[in-house]
Amino acid sequence: MRQALARVVRLACTLLRLAVLTDQMAESNAVRLTGLNQEEVAQAIGVTRNAVISGLGQLRAVGLVETARRVIVIRDVEALRRWAAAD
């Protein structure tokens, strides 16, 4: 269980880093990440695609992200920062 939490924390950190790169952070508390797939996210954090699917599912379940084909929308950047700090 602890390992699963650590993967979600790493996923949250990675999504936040990508959000900073999009330069959308000042515009609103929501950020749209486009053009990346789950395999690319998995490679970026060193986990399996299934781990990313699971982590995104957890983040979706609590309303922090929405996902579509090659799109991840961070709905609440501040709340995602709190998840990322859960390490």
Side-chain angles (χ1 to χ4, degrees):
M1 186 65 161
R2 175 84 175 125
Q3 192 174 24
L5 176 62
R7 282 193 297 262
V8 175
V9 168
R10 287 190 357 227
L11 175 59
C13 289
T14 299
L15 294 176
L16 288 168
R17 282 195 304 273
L18 291 170
V20 168
L21 293 174
T22 68
D23 202 28
Q24 298 176 53
M25 298 289 279
E27 295 173 16
S28 72
N29 196 35
V31 175
R32 182 179 177 90
L33 304 173
T34 59
L36 45 110
N37 63 37
Q38 294 166 342
E39 184 63 38
E40 293 165 333
V41 174
Q43 289 174 359
I45 60 177
V47 299
T48 65
R49 181 175 169 267
N50 285 339
V52 169
I53 291 168
S54 174
L56 286 172
Q58 288 178 276
L59 296 174
R60 255 193 323 270
V62 295
L64 295 182
V65 300
E66 294 175 10
T67 59
R69 185 176 177 88
R70 299 186 71 85
V71 175
I72 299 171
V73 178
I74 302 170
R75 298 185 69 213
D76 188 338
V77 172
E78 290 306 315
L80 191 62
R81 279 191 178 118
R82 289 190 295 275
W83 269 71
D87 191 24

